[in-house]
Amino acid sequence: MALPKIVIVGAGLGGTIAAYEIRDAVKGKAEVMVVNDSDDYWFVPSNPWVAVRWREPDAIRVHLPPVMAKKGIGFTSVGAKRVHPAENRIELGDGTSLAYDYLVIATGPDLAFDEVEGLGPNGFTSSVCRTDHASAAADAFERLAADPKPVVIGAAQGASCYGPAYEFAMIVDTELRRRKVRDRVPMTFVTAEPYVGHLGLDGVGDTNGLLESEMRNRHIKWITNAKIAKVEAGTMHVVEVNADGTTKTEHTLPFGFSMILPAFRGVPAVYGIEGLTNPRGFILADKHQRNPTFKNVYSLGVCVAIPPVGPTPVPVGVPKTGFMIESMVTAIAANLKAELNGKEPEEEATWNAVCLADFGDGGVAFVAQPQIPPRNLNWSSEGKWVHLAKIGFEKYFLHKIRRGTSEPFYEKLALHALGIRKLRFK
């Protein structure tokens, strides 16, 4: 008899690790296949470095087909056009269909640049959301360094990924100082957050104080509770609002270089499917990462629907950080193994957050257990060690992807020694 088929849609940070971990968990009891829109994996956390030429794109790329083949995982890069969960079928980009017994959605987000006039690589601002965006941003940054002008960096209303915006602002500051032109570049940080260091998480430890202090020391001005009305060539129009949402100040910000993170939404392959997604297109999931309507559909990563931590004057989403995503992967792998053994899923991801925000010459690290408050642990710290730790993590994670390994035993031992776990009650 044919083995059950588990299909994973998406091969980013979460989808690639999920393929490896699920394959190890269900080996001999199910086939595992990955559907992606590219043959390559890109280490997205390094994109801010690519945008100032501290990394070349190829240095953070892994060609997936040979790794997947070595692991015994099916792979196609034709992409998913539309998921049909009521039919247990995926419509692929080449017009064919792929049937599945279990589906794991790990697509990441659709980048909603179009929700703000003039935003994004097809408008007047740069992006570090994708490596090709970051590579184009590097060209724009070189033009800035050659002809210094004001810089505006931040995150638009509805964004849910703030760490890279702070990282990139500090990295740009560091690189401009190295090039001896920082004194000719006024910098402004624009964010939907109600305060600096909110991060979509209502802060972690003293991220408010740490990041405000860092920005003051680097002479970076900031505007919080900000909605970007529109972007024109060389000019950004920003509305700063009060706590009740009424207009406080309208800002007209000139810039020669800008990087703004957009809001996210669900990808077209899943957007608008009743019972599968919320109105924004994110996948609905229970505490076991399983969809309540389509019980054979799991989801992980940025595509998962998570409500905001609380009301804010300007819409602020919740980030899905790397370790949080890895905890979702581990829970899904264990629950699929249970299902194949005729048992009900019982594992729950901890959603703990362990983050390193690099500033080029230092950085901020934080641990939130769990990521969504109230928390059992709420800690943040800063120092030059964070920059070195981020470099080490990049090399280590890329090594895992190239080897086809999800979590070596020494990583698990180290995390458990620190009291950081991926599964609840384990």
Side-chain angles (χ1 to χ4, degrees):
M1 292 178 62
L3 293 175
K5 179 171 284 188
I6 300 170
V7 176
I8 300 160
V9 180
L13 183 150
T16 303
I17 291 295
Y20 301 159
E21 192 158 337
I22 290 169
R23 171 61 177 169
D24 289 343
V26 306
K27 192 171 183 179
K29 294 187 176 181
E31 295 179 26
V32 179
M33 183 169 186
V34 174
V35 176
N36 197 39
D37 59 2
S38 165
D39 280 338
D40 297 317
Y41 167 90
W42 302 92
F43 188 65
V44 171
S46 291
N47 284 350
W49 293 344
V50 172
V52 292
R53 298 261 161 84
W54 293 358
R55 288 289 184 280
E56 290 300 320
D58 275 353
I60 60 170
R61 180 178 70 92
V62 178
H63 191 57
L64 290 175
V67 185
M68 294 292 178
K70 184 178 179 181
K71 290 286 292 184
I73 299 168
F75 183 85
T76 178
S77 59
V78 300
K81 184 177 180 181
R82 190 68 171 173
V83 172
H84 299 275
E87 303 172 27
N88 295 332
R89 178 176 69 88
I90 304 167
E91 184 181 351
L92 300 178
D94 63 359
T96 63
S97 286
L98 178 65
Y100 62 81
D101 295 286
Y102 297 94
L103 178 64
V104 179
I105 301 175
T107 59
D110 187 42
L111 306 174
F113 292 115
D114 59 294
E115 294 181 348
V116 177
E117 181 183 346
L119 193 69
N122 292 326
F124 304 104
T125 62
S126 296
S127 162
V128 293
C129 294
R130 294 182 1 190
T131 305
D132 59 334
H133 290 172
S135 183
D139 295 334
F141 179 79
E142 291 296 335
R143 292 192 292 271
L144 169 76
D147 183 18
K149 293 178 181 177
V151 164
V152 179
I153 292 171
Q157 55 270 29
S160 57
C161 189
Y162 296 91
Y166 286 104
E167 277 192 306
F168 191 60
M170 310 302 183
I171 287 170
V172 165
D173 168 81
T174 298
E175 182 61 16
L176 290 174
R177 283 189 283 111
R178 289 176 180 174
R179 299 193 188 201
K180 310 296 185 185
V181 295
R182 177 66 179 88
D183 59 316
R184 297 160 60 191
V185 180
M187 290 183 64
T188 305
F189 189 83
V190 173
T191 179
E193 299 161 276
Y195 58 84
V196 168
H198 180 280
L199 302 172
L201 298 169
D202 201 13
V204 180
D206 189 28
T207 49
N208 176 218
L210 290 174
L211 289 170
E212 277 197 6
S213 176
E214 193 72 34
M215 291 170 79
R216 286 192 186 97
N217 289 338
R218 294 172 183 263
H219 307 285
I220 300 173
K221 297 179 180 179
W222 64 81
I223 303 171
T224 54
N225 283 330
K227 293 191 292 187
I228 301 173
K230 67 176 180 178
V231 186
E232 300 171 321
T235 306
M236 185 176 297
H237 299 275
V238 176
V239 178
E240 182 182 0
V241 305
N242 295 303
D244 62 359
T246 59
T247 298
K248 178 180 180 181
T249 310
E250 295 185 4
H251 302 267
T252 300
L253 304 177
F255 65 87
F257 175 81
S258 177
M259 195 294 294
I260 300 291
L261 300 177
F264 294 163
R265 63 189 168 212
V267 300
V270 299
Y271 196 97
I273 298 176
E274 186 174 354
L276 183 67
T277 66
N278 69 6
R280 191 70 184 166
F282 294 113
I283 309 298
L284 300 169
D286 64 15
K287 63 183 181 180
H288 304 301
Q289 304 301 136
R290 186 167 66 164
N291 181 258
T293 302
F294 304 102
K295 300 289 190 179
N296 62 339
V297 177
Y298 289 84
S299 59
L300 62 95
V302 180
C303 68
V304 174
I306 301 178
V309 296
T312 53
V314 180
V316 171
V318 176
K320 289 87 170 184
T321 55
F323 188 83
M324 178 188 188
I325 294 171
E326 289 194 61
S327 78
M328 295 180 187
V329 167
T330 297
I332 291 171
N335 288 332
L336 283 169
K337 182 177 181 180
E339 288 212 59
L340 291 169
N341 287 329
K343 301 176 182 178
E344 279 295 302
E346 61 177 23
E347 299 295 355
E348 301 175 34
T350 56
W351 287 16
N352 290 333
V354 182
C355 291
L356 302 170
D358 170 58
F359 298 162
D361 54 1
V364 170
F366 66 81
V367 177
Q369 295 188 22
Q371 178 166 293
I372 309 300
R375 302 184 178 109
N376 295 315
L377 178 62
N378 198 42
W379 173 88
S380 60
S381 182
E382 64 177 335
K384 295 185 182 297
W385 66 271
V386 179
H387 174 64
L388 299 175
K390 187 69 177 276
I391 294 172
F393 178 72
E394 175 201 58
K395 296 183 184 302
Y396 170 70
F397 201 89
L398 283 168
H399 176 71
K400 286 206 303 183
I401 297 295
R402 292 183 177 114
R403 282 181 57 91
T405 303
S406 172
E407 185 186 49
F409 75 93
Y410 49 83
E411 177 185 341
K412 183 181 292 186
L413 286 175
L415 290 170
H416 282 201
L418 294 171
I420 301 170
R421 298 174 184 268
K422 292 181 178 179
L423 297 178
R424 296 190 68 189
F425 317 117
K426 295 292 183 181

